């Protein structure tokens, strides 16, 4: 046995939602090899005492844009169209591959610091993002966000499509599937049917997932209705965008008809409550989507619109948002929110057989939290504390496939000092100082 967590509270998130107290979990060759209330007889190479600690499955962030960490806090308290057009897009245009990799590594360090073990990213510079993911040890589904603004289109020559093909050939399945490549229609409002048809055909033929923005704002949703007489979900469905495993980020303004359609197609809605609140986009109808039969997972969106990548914060925000919009304090209980951050996220990524729960034989994607801090005592209900009282700062260890990616302030797989030097010496001057000169 490589690692043994002893005398720890284990939140399994398995089908019966078992929680074990003063229990033991062992890791061998990257897999969970022991789970019981009694200590194993087998010797272990490393013992992690778990008194006062809680062990849970790694969190899964199903929608983010890793390189946008360099824009954190640059444009706050601004409405969405101005935020994008006046602040974000002009500086994103100054990114290059070197900048994107450094920013992605910074974001990954933040993710593992806060207990995230797998991410679904949509952006460009995907080769550099994949390099950062490969080096760090985190899991990722990487999608090259594609747009089309009226220009001539040919899948073979369109830059985003060419990058997608190359990305899949190079990275899809890397390290026994630790990296997966997905197609991405950025959104209905940033493209047209030619791109939708081409990417849908590619995703179906290549058996890869699809990642889209969907009905994030009221204006986006209503303008699509005016143009097409159909909602964004209905339009994209007509072009087979959802004929493969798909995740739809935000879904703030989806209609009941949309929800039933997306449920039939097996589409996962990715709820990003903090970003949606901060940009005043609205409150996604999560309980209605669940009742319609949809899988709903959680995402942070980018740290430019959030402004962090802490999924514990998203869990609390999701629970509170559901209660206040429904007027029902029982809406979205803690068990459901924890499922969204773990089990439902794994399902959204096509990883449900490998992670999302703590079960024998599954990957050792684990998060250890210190429950001895004042704000976590006393603990009457551990699941309640994970949603309402804990934060990413309570994480003391994050492990993916048995490899420690964060522990006690250290990042064994990321040279954070080097990343910071790269950011201060190259990235920030390139994006901001030169733009002002």
């Amino acid at each position: 046995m490589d690692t043994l967590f002893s005398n720890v509270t284990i939140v399994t998130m398995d089908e019966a939602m078992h929680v074990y107290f003063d229990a033991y979990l062992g890791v061998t060759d990257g897999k969970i090899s022991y789970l019981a209330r009694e200590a194993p007889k087998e010797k272990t190479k490393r013992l992690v005492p778990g008194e006062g600690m809680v062990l849970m499955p790694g969190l899964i962030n199903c929608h983010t844009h890793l390189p946008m960490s360099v824009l954190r806090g640059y444009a706050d308290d601004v409405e969405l169209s101005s935020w994008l057009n006046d602040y974000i897009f002009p500086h994103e245009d100054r990114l290059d591959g070197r900048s994107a990799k450094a920013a992605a590594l910074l974001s990954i360090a933040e993710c593992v610091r806060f207990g995230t073990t797998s991410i679904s990213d949509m952006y460009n510079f995907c080769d550099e993002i994949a390099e950062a993911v490969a080096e760090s040890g985190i899991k990722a589904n990487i999608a090259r966000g594609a747009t089309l603004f009226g220009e001539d289109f040919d899948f073979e020559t369109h830059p985003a499509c060419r990058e997608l093909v190359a990305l899949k050939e190079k990275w899809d399945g890397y390290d026994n599937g630790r990296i997966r490549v997905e197609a991405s229609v950025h959104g209905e409002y940033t493209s047209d049917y030619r791109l939708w048809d081409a990417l849908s055909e590619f995703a179906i033929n290549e058996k890869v997932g699809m990642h889209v923005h969907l009905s994030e704002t009221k204006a986006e949703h209503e303008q699509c209705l005016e143009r097409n007489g159909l909602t964004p979900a209905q339009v994209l469905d007509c072009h087979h965008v959802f004929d493969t495993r798909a995740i739809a980020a935000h879904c703030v303004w989806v209609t009941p008809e949309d929800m039933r359609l997306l449920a039939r197609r097996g589409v996962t809605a990715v709820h990003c409550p903090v970003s949606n609140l901060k940009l005043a986009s609205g409150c996604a109808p999560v309980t209605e989507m669940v009742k319609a039969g949809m899988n709903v997972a959680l995402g942070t969106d980018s740290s430019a619109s959030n402004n962090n990548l802490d999924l514990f914060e998203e869990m609390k925000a999701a629970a509170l948002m559901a209660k206040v919009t429904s007027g029902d304090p029982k809406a979205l209980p803690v068990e459901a929110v924890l499922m969204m951050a773990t089990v439902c996220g794994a399902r959204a990524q096509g990883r449900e057989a490998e992670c999302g729960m703590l079960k024998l034989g599954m990957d050792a994607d684990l998060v250890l939290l210190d429950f001895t801090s004042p704000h976590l005592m006393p603990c009457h209900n551990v699941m309640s504390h994970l949603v309402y009282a804990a934060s990413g700062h309570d994480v003391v260890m994050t492990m993916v496939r048995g490899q420690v990616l964060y522990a006690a302030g250290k990042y064994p797989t990321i040279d954070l000092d080097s990343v910071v030097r790269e950011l201060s010496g190259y990235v920030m001057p390139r994006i901001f100082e030169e733009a002002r000169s």
Side-chain angles (χ1 to χ4, degrees):
M1 190 178 296
D2 299 321
T3 303
L4 177 66
F5 296 88
S6 66
N7 303 108
V8 68
T9 297
I10 302 176
V11 177
T12 65
M13 296 308 299
D14 64 10
E15 294 84 355
M17 304 291 280
H18 285 119
V19 176
Y20 299 117
F21 299 93
D22 294 317
Y24 297 80
L25 186 144
V27 177
T28 306
D29 295 331
K31 302 284 187 180
I32 298 172
S33 58
Y34 188 86
L35 180 57
R37 289 191 175 91
E38 302 79 26
K41 296 179 181 178
E42 180 183 351
K43 292 184 178 180
T44 184
K45 296 177 183 176
R46 175 176 55 178
L47 179 66
V48 180
E51 292 84 356
M53 304 286 182
V54 171
L55 195 64
M56 68 175 295
L59 304 179
I60 299 173
N61 186 346
C62 283
H63 180 67
T64 190
H65 312 284
L66 291 174
M68 292 184 73
S69 56
V70 294
L71 295 166
R72 187 197 322 265
Y74 178 67
D76 290 336
D77 305 327
V78 179
E79 61 91 19
L80 182 59
S81 63
S82 176
W83 181 81
L84 282 171
N85 294 304
D86 299 333
Y87 297 92
I88 300 303
F89 289 158
H91 290 89
E92 277 189 314
D93 285 344
R94 303 190 66 82
L95 277 169
D96 61 359
R98 179 178 170 184
S99 303
K101 182 175 179 180
L105 282 168
L106 180 70
S107 291
I108 292 169
E110 182 180 357
C111 285
V112 298
R113 171 65 184 90
F114 290 155
T116 294
T117 55
S118 190
I119 52 180
S120 289
D121 191 75
M122 178 206 288
Y123 210 64
N124 48 0
F125 301 108
C126 290
D127 193 52
E128 288 80 8
I129 293 171
E131 288 177 6
V133 169
E135 293 171 12
S136 70
I138 200 169
K139 291 180 177 178
N141 289 28
I142 301 174
R144 175 38 165 113
T147 60
L148 185 64
F149 293 101
E151 67 268 25
D152 292 339
F153 175 75
D154 185 327
F155 182 84
E156 301 298 329
T157 59
H158 187 273
C161 296
R162 291 180 61 188
E163 289 175 28
L164 170 62
V165 173
L167 189 73
K168 184 184 184 302
E169 291 176 354
K170 181 176 180 180
W171 290 106
D172 192 38
Y174 173 85
D175 192 13
N176 295 315
R178 185 161 63 82
I179 293 178
R180 296 185 177 191
V181 171
E182 298 181 331
S184 174
V185 173
H186 176 272
E188 178 277 333
Y189 65 105
T190 55
S191 54
D192 65 36
Y193 71 93
R194 297 169 297 165
L195 183 67
W196 311 335
D197 290 341
L199 286 177
S200 298
E201 182 179 1
F202 177 85
I204 293 165
N205 291 341
E206 298 295 328
K207 296 180 173 57
V208 299
M210 180 70 75
H211 191 157
V212 305
H213 290 110
L214 190 73
S215 294
E216 181 176 1
T217 67
K218 186 177 183 181
E220 170 200 334
H221 189 86
E222 291 182 344
Q223 288 166 12
C224 179
L225 276 169
E226 292 174 6
R227 283 192 301 271
N228 304 292
L230 298 170
T231 67
Q234 293 164 350
V235 169
L236 294 178
D237 182 63
C238 288
H239 292 270
H240 306 285
V241 171
F242 303 130
D243 284 10
T244 187
R245 177 180 51 79
I247 59 177
H250 303 297
C251 292
V252 175
W253 293 93
V254 289
T255 66
E257 294 78 12
D258 289 339
M259 297 178 210
R260 291 191 289 270
L261 168 63
L262 296 170
R264 289 197 304 272
R265 296 288 184 258
V267 177
T268 293
V270 183
H271 185 31
C272 303
V274 173
S275 178
N276 292 156
L277 287 169
K278 184 166 177 281
L279 292 172
S281 298
C283 300
V286 172
T287 54
E288 290 87 346
M289 288 191 282
V290 172
K291 290 176 182 177
M294 291 185 67
N295 185 51
V296 182
L298 286 177
T300 58
D301 211 351
S302 79
S303 51
S305 66
N306 187 296
N307 293 24
N308 64 48
L309 304 177
D310 186 350
L311 275 172
F312 286 95
E313 190 174 273
E314 301 297 330
M315 284 195 284
K316 183 172 183 176
L320 299 183
M321 184 186 288
K323 297 175 193 309
V324 75
T325 54
S326 67
D328 180 5
K330 297 180 181 178
L332 216 60
V334 292
E335 295 85 355
V337 180
L338 283 165
M339 284 191 66
M340 290 165 63
T342 55
V343 176
C344 299
R347 189 179 303 144
Q349 291 191 325
R351 297 182 182 273
E352 61 269 34
E354 66 184 70
C355 60
M357 302 180 187
L358 302 186
K359 292 177 65 176
L360 291 177
M362 298 190 82
D363 287 355
D365 298 352
L366 315 170
V367 177
L368 186 67
L369 297 100
D370 183 356
F371 263 47
T372 64
S373 297
H375 67 283
L376 294 172
M377 295 191 293
C379 183
H380 300 292
N381 183 319
V382 64
M383 287 189 173
S384 173
H385 268 20
L386 287 171
V387 173
Y388 295 126
S391 80
H393 295 283
D394 297 309
V395 172
V396 295
M397 180 186 291
T398 300
M399 175 183 284
V400 174
R401 291 184 174 177
Q403 180 182 26
V404 174
L405 306 190
Y406 170 81
K410 304 294 183 182
Y411 302 84
T413 63
I414 299 174
D415 185 347
L416 193 56
D417 290 338
S418 177
V419 172
V420 171
R421 288 194 299 270
E422 180 76 343
L423 288 166
S424 61
Y426 178 78
V427 180
M428 302 308 285
R430 175 184 176 85
I431 297 173
F432 292 99
E433 291 179 14
E434 293 180 16
R436 289 194 291 264
S437 62

